């Protein structure tokens, strides 16, 4: 599983590119394969985007080539192959309305239909990204003629979309009517407004959290300040706040959907301890993600927390092994068991979630070899069984360990003495809003929107463009 | 003055990318700033293009990423700035009709009007290149519906265009009705057809010259062999074969427009000797271009040929001098006078053409400092006074030394004892076809087509896109 | 403070370079500025070393250029400037005795004197590294004539040195008589011997720990197996096992000097809780190093462990900020306070050690801003007040926060409500051997060897060589 | 055959590094594989050297890192493999006498013996270059104690050596007693002295030629001006000025050994016409080297000069062909026959020299295929049959086409209708000084010095050091 996109935008600050690079850096966990920044100097737009981590793509020399007081930025996980650099966001387009940049977090579920419609009208597409249809809609004379062109465009697209736009004279942020992905508004000490996927991007630049961009809101930041407008249906019965952001994605320091992520994870661990207690010597988190949940489990159970693994400080960079080197080295290279700490111990191992299961199995096996007496696995979320159509790049459902296995079969596959997954109710009891405000479809299969034609990741790369 | 674009295409050869790289390499003199190759493996199209010389952009590893038995390639001089890589050709587009690549040599004189028309329809442009409108035309439903879509498209564009297209299943070559730029057809020993701007690209791969692509011809090469169709007006009174290709551009080993370039240049030198004889000790070419004309001058005049300069073997690469170093070093670095050979001698210096005059002046001054007794400059073409709207990137006309100067004033500016430019009649007497078959507009101001709105090179970069 | 050098060696394994790259990767925490590997194919020696992390310097292509079944490797922190690449280890020399490579962890305290002596004899030095004198000694006819040349050489040098040598036909490991730096012997499942600074390098390649290389031991591994010889004075009264390896340097999963590092750190935390209990709501480690000690403190005190910071996953790579960006961003970028978790709480913050104090002060200040009610700092080692002459690159003593400050003054400087440093006795009570076996000079100023002329790091770079 | 080293030095000019880069650029034909510059700012020495052409290795940013008013530089052909960068000159050493740099053109014929002697004394060598022994000699106490240390050192080495040294406070140039390689002294308009292998390096920086450095002279340039001293035997009966410099190596614009190179080559062509006249239609030089000789042949014979080949402007850069591409493409890629110009013609083809014969054979074959009626090859030097021990890197003698072949057999091998090599007497009659002043050993086998142990190029790389 790869993280999938982080957004940032700022208007009215002389160091807009520097701030954006910091905001992206703080959200690097949301996308590690490409990074891009667009700035506007009021007359024209400057852009740079490339494959790589934020601090590889943007050094001070590069940032100096991006002048202007308005900027948007994007980090993303991107498909492999030659298409990468072309698809790196923010995308920049030029049409009759001038230059426009867009960065997108989420997935449009009707992008293929819209693209076919435009191709039939003779339009040429530059990327294989679903995001591009938004610009084709915007460039279309019928929307340009609309007094609220962006609202009329966003009412045509379906699915999950948190968006930041950069025009010559303004930054615009928008969130789909279900609010699948987070997006928040902050304010710099000097008054400049910023938007970001997560509040951790506000903290790094000392911006104060103002509020979330609301589902179905278009928020325009320009020289005149803030303007808000609404689009989409009124009174939706269901929200779509992604529960998986709390379980795994978001940074523990961030507040999203009205909750602090660390505190939610602690509560997930506490709920897990209540649902599935077991007598043991030590509670050990699988690094690094499950540390919050393990704290919660330890606190609620009264069992001492321990440390079973050292983590490499360099895991951001993959070590490419020669073919002849055995494959399971890859797991070893990311963590090393502290044998002395686990030998002869009865362990409760806490995981946030289990996707394919292979990595978890490797870690369990390493603990066994180091002499653990018993291993009880506790997972702070329910079994993952369904695809996400809203922007999280899970593997093919057939590869999910829980897809066609009972919990007992999974226990057997992972090689643990006991296994418990947190219940859906347990999970949704740890967050603030009513259950209907969240999308838990990857666990339950209950999707908040109709999915007419399931989106395949590469559906838009029909003939292998570029 | 920079050279402006070379084309190559091949269909039906397993090493299509390698052949294309060689064909481009042989035509490197036609464009040194970017190089690109697209191949089709029958199902999808692969592309790589970048700034740089052919052998920098394409190494064996890179070529291996371009599979397939059909390919087109392009070398070009490109505008500076961030737009470079985006504009590198061949361009690749995807639209309802599938993937299409195009490489273009020439300039479309109604590109700006066509682009405005499409932008008003909501189309989004990817490049600032005039070439892109061809694809927007091709993607337009009205042309897709036409039984001869490409012919109907090419009848909408005006100006100079030798074109190579790559589709999934075919290579197409086309030449504008005036035939401004060269384009020829060749055949490999194994029967595969190739097209190229110049025959020197056929020689390097042992292809046999078959014939020129005719003005107003669309030549399709596919699994069924060759198909030819005609477009444009019948019975044009004027041709537009660029005489400057013979004077300066093309490789001496190439045959273009029915003549061998070296032999034309020799004849230009002979004509020059007849028009402007002078008593002297040595005939010296300005390296390297004028060597053919100097041979002709020496032969016709009976005066011995000499060598006045050594040329660096490394002139393809610019030596970037620190700011503090004096500017005229740049001239010195490219050639060094053989003082011993010119000291006390009366020299006839032969040049092919004079553009700004500054480089020639530097060379003349170097010969003076080395002790030349007399210097008689003979230029194997008429004074250059007018812009080219058909694909040659002359500098701003105001910078042409002959723009606002009489020949006597130019003589004075260059610091020579006598100066003669070959007459227009003398020049056109050295080629095979009637005068009306050639475009000599840069010398005469007489343009073969109507130019309604003179094309500025960057006219399409309105708001500084990308 | 920078980490200072990790060693690895293997003899008799067909994938010696791959194993070495893995062994270095596992020890990356011991040196992040350069990495190098030398291999012997039995006839000649191959070398590659460069600035950068292990997986930047060594990719599979590079490893394939290093054939042979014997190898040594080295990671190091290295001085800045142009000298870097030259000084990257292992160093390779050729002299009458053939080719020899050496990797060194530690510092030779009489290197400057020895170098002067050799220069007076006409020797030419290649590097500014203290290590090079070892090879000049070895090449000297008087030592070559000695029946035990390496032992006679090592008796001439003083200070701290764990060494690995690669000769054409053998790998040799040696450790100074005081045993300042760790060095251990392991065995691969197939019988090949390996040596490494830390046992975590054995774990990654599934090698079994055999024993430590003893202080004053020269261990030769060749086709005949293991040979051990002793050098230096018999019956030293004092050992020099570096206690700072346990406090901060070594990987928690490693066993060094007979103790597991994680367990020692846990005990340091327990001792700290006993020495300086305080009532509070949460125990929070300063990431990442202090996590073991915090576990110990929490366990011994019964106070719950919490998490106060998120850590970036990308801290291995420095983000270079433009000049105009404020300096304290650097601290923020490495960690982000989880505000929700600390607001209104009385915190016990556990640190492993405090060097300059600036980073700690920044973290404390961040906790204050996030609303911590009380902050009690507990440091799991005594105040650092003295330079290390044995291989740890502390800053200039004047920059140590504890150099000229009382604990109360430090408390004030750091801005905490209470502060306690673990006592020397408390610290040395957590390890296995008697106090006299350890060097705690950085805390106590009591050096195990005589230091006649304090070694300055760049003392050997007299005239700015290279 | 590869060219072998060019030198440059300047003292007392604020832009010493820039001047040196230009002086090296003008001498790029003497060595294309590495380039290096050392400068002294009066206190310390700065160095940069790397593989590549001068303008790749030295850009303005790089040159700014080389401050100081004294500099030396070096271009060289260097052996392949990992040893390259280490052996790139100028070499920089540090010993008791301080920092010293040296650049060398030539070969020391007793380097191996001297190296063995030093290794026996315990010295460690850094490079596999013969040049390094000069520094070991200089560092040796016996020479340091000598009142004329450099003279006493240079009297110990044998063979060919033009040398430039850079010390902290001076530049020193020296030439071996036979004067095998050229070395000249020039003066800048502002009075600063420069030294260079060839006068073409003086021309590019507007320096005036003063005189050659004499055989057996050590010329010191420092703040006090010029000082000259003599070393080596008095009254040598034989000189060793390399005739091959005139035939092939040096730039036509240079004056070396008292003659202008272009004029010597013209005279070689004239002598060839006198020795071997033949009736024909055209005289054609093999590009680019033989152009001067062809001019001479044409002038003396009265036969018209023609042009048979176009040369690529990019031959400085090798085009790396994929394995599958046929090998003889390499020849084709460097030159293209102008078919129209040679078809049906009787040609006299002029070459400067023939080494392996394979390239010439390829060119002859291309002319045949283009339809030449007759081909008469005239070589402006005698058959090459013997190795050079003085600095020219000919291939293994067994690979010389003339080694074991009669002229008739060579004619047959090359596929020409007639063949004539210029006689030794004819060749030596074209230069100024008596025959005994020149070394023609590669043609005659008569070596000016005793060669006790023929030097193999890699003799010093015994065990494959580095």
């Amino acid at each position: 599983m790869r993280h999938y996109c982080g957004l940032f935008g700022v208007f009215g600050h002389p160091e807009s590119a520097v701030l954006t690079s910091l905001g992206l850096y703080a959200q690097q966990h949301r996308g590690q394969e490409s990074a891009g920044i667009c700035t506007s100097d009021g007359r024209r737009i400057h852009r740079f985007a490339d494959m790589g981590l934020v601090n590889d793509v943007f050094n001070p020399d590069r940032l100096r080539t991006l002048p202007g007081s308005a900027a948007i930025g994007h980090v993303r996980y991107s498909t492999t192959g030659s298409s990468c650099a072309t698809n790196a966001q923010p995308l920049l387009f030029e049409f009759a309305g001038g230059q426009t940049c867009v960065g997108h977090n989420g997935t449009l579920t009707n992008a293929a239909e819209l693209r076919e419609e435009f191709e039939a009208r003779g339009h040429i597409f530059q990327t294989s990204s679903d995001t591009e249809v938004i610009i084709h809609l915007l460039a279309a004379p019928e929307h340009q003629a609309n007094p609220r062109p962006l609202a009329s465009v966003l009412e045509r697209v379906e699915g999950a979309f948190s968006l930041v736009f950069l025009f010559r004279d303004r930054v615009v942020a928008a969130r789909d009517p279900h609010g699948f992905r987070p997006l928040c508004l902050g304010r710099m000490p000097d008054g400049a407004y910023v938007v970001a996927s997560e509040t951790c991007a506000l903290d790094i630049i000392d911006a104060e959290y103002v509020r979330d961009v609301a589902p179905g809101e278009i928020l325009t930041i320009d020289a005149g300040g803030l303007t808000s407008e609404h689009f989409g249906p009124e009174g939706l019965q269901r929200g779509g706040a992604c529960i998986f952001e709390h379980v795994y994605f978001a940074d523990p320091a961030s507040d999203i959907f009205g909750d602090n992520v660390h505190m939610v994870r602690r509560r997930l661990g506490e709920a897990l301890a209540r649902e599935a207690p077991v007598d043991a010597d030590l509670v050990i988190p699988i690094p690094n993600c499950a540390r919050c949940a393990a704290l919660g489990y330890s606190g609620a159970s009264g069992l001492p927390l321990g440390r079973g693994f050292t983590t490499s400080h360099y895991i951001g960079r993959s070590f490419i092994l020669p073919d002849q080197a055995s494959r399971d080295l890859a797991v070893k290279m990311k963590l090393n068991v502290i044998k002395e700490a686990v030998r002869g111990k009865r362990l409760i191992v806490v995981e946030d979630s289990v996707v394919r299961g292979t990595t978890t199995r490797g870690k369990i096996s390493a603990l066994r070899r180091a002499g653990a007496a018993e291993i009880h696995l506790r997972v702070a979320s329910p079994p993952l069984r369904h695809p996400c159509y809203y922007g999280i790049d899970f593997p093919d459902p057939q590869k999910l360990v829980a897809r066609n296995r009972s919990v007992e079969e999974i226990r057997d596959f992972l090689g643990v003495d006991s296994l418990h997954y947190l219940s859906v109710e347990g999970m949704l009891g740890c967050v603030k809003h009513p259950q209907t405000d969240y999308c838990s479809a990857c666990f339950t299969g209950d999707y908040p929107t109709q999915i007419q034609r399931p989106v395949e990741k590469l559906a838009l790369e029909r003939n292998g463009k570029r």
Side-chain angles (χ1 to χ4, degrees), chain A residues 6-8 20-28 36-37 54 73-75:
Chain A
L7 306 176
F8 190 86
T20 303
S21 72
L22 294 169
L24 295 181
Y25 178 85
Q27 297 182 102
Q28 184 78 80
I37 295 177
V54 178
H74 192 269
V75 288

Side-chain angles (χ1 to χ4, degrees), chain A residues 278-317:
Chain A
V278 60
D279 193 26
D281 299 313
L282 277 183
V283 177
I284 283 181
I286 293 280
N288 279 315
C289 311
R291 285 172 57 198
C292 308
L295 281 175
Y297 195 105
S298 166
S301 66
L303 293 174
L305 197 66
R307 183 175 182 187
F309 298 94
T310 348
T311 50
S312 165
H313 291 179
Y314 307 96
I315 57 168
R317 339 194 55 178

Side-chain angles (χ1 to χ4, degrees), chain A residues 344-409:
Chain A
K345 296 290 198 314
R346 294 171 302 157
L347 306 176
I348 294 171
V349 174
V350 179
E351 255 289 24
D352 45 62
S353 56
V354 180
V355 183
R356 281 187 181 81
T358 45
T359 307
T360 303
R361 185 160 74 157
K363 292 166 181 171
I364 297 298
S365 154
L367 291 171
R368 286 268 185 234
R369 283 199 304 274
E374 293 176 16
I375 303 180
H376 303 278
L377 182 64
R378 295 297 177 264
V379 184
S381 59
L384 255 173
R385 294 199 162 117
H386 304 276
C388 175
Y389 297 127
Y390 307 120
I392 290 179
D393 186 39
F394 288 119
D396 179 333
Q398 298 312 319
K399 295 189 174 150
L400 296 172
V401 69
R403 179 70 172 184
N404 296 308
R405 282 188 183 85
S406 67
V407 170
E408 176 59 20
E409 286 166 339

Side-chain angles (χ1 to χ4, degrees), chain A residues 1 181 242-245 247 353 381-390 392 394 400 402-403 424 427 439-448:
Chain A
M1 185 179 43
R181 299 279 145 231
C242 172
I243 193 70
F244 205 72
E245 294 266 358
V247 166
S353 56
S381 59
L384 255 173
R385 294 199 162 117
H386 304 276
C388 175
Y389 297 127
Y390 307 120
I392 290 179
F394 288 119
L400 296 172
R403 179 70 172 184
V424 173
M427 174 177 72
C439 172
S440 318
C442 53
F443 301 117
T444 64
D446 174 22
Y447 296 91

Side-chain angles (χ1 to χ4, degrees), chain A residues 88-426:
Chain A
Q89 295 200 359
L91 299 173
L92 166 60
F93 298 92
E94 181 166 2
F95 59 95
Q99 293 181 297
T100 304
C101 302
V102 62
H104 175 204
N105 179 21
T107 302
L108 304 183
T109 53
N110 65 336
E113 291 87 336
L114 289 169
R115 184 163 174 156
E116 280 168 20
E117 184 184 307
F118 277 105
E119 289 190 342
R121 290 162 66 168
H123 281 233
I124 296 168
F125 278 74
Q126 300 180 31
T127 70
S128 53
S129 162
D130 58 335
T131 309
E132 189 176 349
V133 296
I134 293 174
I135 303 299
H136 283 261
L137 283 164
L138 198 56
E142 61 268 33
H143 291 287
Q144 284 292 308
N146 191 305
R148 299 173 63 228
L150 195 54
S152 72
V153 164
L154 296 184
E155 286 171 356
R156 283 295 314 278
V157 293
E158 295 168 7
F161 50 93
S162 283
L163 295 163
V164 287
F165 293 89
L166 177 68
F167 297 91
R168 196 180 47 73
D169 59 352
R170 65 195 187 277
V171 165
V172 177
R175 212 167 146 216
D176 67 72
H178 292 88
F180 285 100
R181 299 279 145 231
L183 192 61
C184 68
L185 174 71
R187 193 168 196 176
M188 299 288 294
D190 63 4
Y193 284 106
V194 299
V195 290
S197 292
E198 294 189 28
T199 61
C200 65
L202 306 186
D203 294 338
I204 202 174
I205 55 169
D206 279 331
E208 185 192 6
Y209 170 79
V210 176
R211 64 171 176 89
D212 280 10
V213 176
E217 180 179 15
I218 297 173
L219 191 64
T220 300
I221 317 174
D222 61 16
L226 290 182
T227 320
S228 174
E229 60 180 312
H230 186 82
F231 71 96
E234 299 290 335
L236 270 180
Q237 301 299 312
R238 287 225 29 196
C242 172
I243 193 70
F244 205 72
E245 294 266 358
H246 273 306
V247 166
Y248 175 86
F249 255 29
D251 189 274
S254 291
D255 299 328
I256 58 168
F257 309 140
D259 276 302
N260 170 255
V261 175
H262 169 75
M263 298 310 281
V264 169
R265 288 187 192 160
R266 250 196 112 112
R267 291 195 292 264
L268 291 170
E270 290 163 2
L272 195 53
R274 286 190 303 266
E275 282 193 6
V278 60
D279 193 26
D281 299 313
L282 277 183
V283 177
I284 283 181
I286 293 280
N288 279 315
C289 311
R291 285 172 57 198
C292 308
L295 281 175
Y297 195 105
S298 166
S301 66
L303 293 174
L305 197 66
R307 183 175 182 187
F309 298 94
T310 348
T311 50
S312 165
H313 291 179
Y314 307 96
I315 57 168
R317 339 194 55 178
S318 58
F319 191 99
I320 301 160
L321 286 165
D323 311 335
Q324 67 266 36
S326 104
R327 222 64 225 281
D328 64 354
L329 262 170
V331 170
K332 269 195 209 172
M333 294 183 65
K334 296 218 173 164
L335 39 83
N336 203 8
V337 176
I338 304 173
K339 289 184 258 186
E340 199 79 15
V342 302
R343 192 176 299 137
K345 296 290 198 314
R346 294 171 302 157
L347 306 176
I348 294 171
V349 174
V350 179
E351 255 289 24
D352 45 62
S353 56
V354 180
V355 183
R356 281 187 181 81
T358 45
T359 307
T360 303
R361 185 160 74 157
K363 292 166 181 171
I364 297 298
S365 154
L367 291 171
R368 286 268 185 234
R369 283 199 304 274
E374 293 176 16
I375 303 180
H376 303 278
L377 182 64
R378 295 297 177 264
V379 184
S381 59
L384 255 173
R385 294 199 162 117
H386 304 276
C388 175
Y389 297 127
Y390 307 120
I392 290 179
D393 186 39
F394 288 119
D396 179 333
Q398 298 312 319
K399 295 189 174 150
L400 296 172
V401 69
R403 179 70 172 184
N404 296 308
R405 282 188 183 85
S406 67
V407 170
E408 176 59 20
E409 286 166 339
I410 302 169
R411 191 203 58 70
D412 200 52
F413 174 82
L414 298 176
V416 292
D417 296 297
S418 77
L419 167 66
H420 182 80
Y421 281 98
L422 185 60
S423 64
V424 173
E425 294 67 32

Side-chain angles (χ1 to χ4, degrees), chain A residues 41-101:
Chain A
D41 61 14
R43 293 186 311 110
R44 50 168 300 197
I45 284 180
H46 307 264
R47 173 183 189 262
F48 189 79
D50 206 352
M51 309 308 294
L53 296 174
V54 178
N55 50 8
D56 287 334
V57 176
F58 294 103
N59 55 32
D61 283 345
R62 179 65 69 192
L63 290 173
R64 265 179 233 113
T65 69
L66 296 166
S69 62
I72 64 171
H74 192 269
V75 288
R76 85 190 288 254
Y77 159 70
S78 167
T79 58
T80 55
S82 56
S83 65
C84 294
T86 302
N87 283 341
Q89 295 200 359
L91 299 173
L92 166 60
F93 298 92
E94 181 166 2
F95 59 95
Q99 293 181 297
T100 304
C101 302

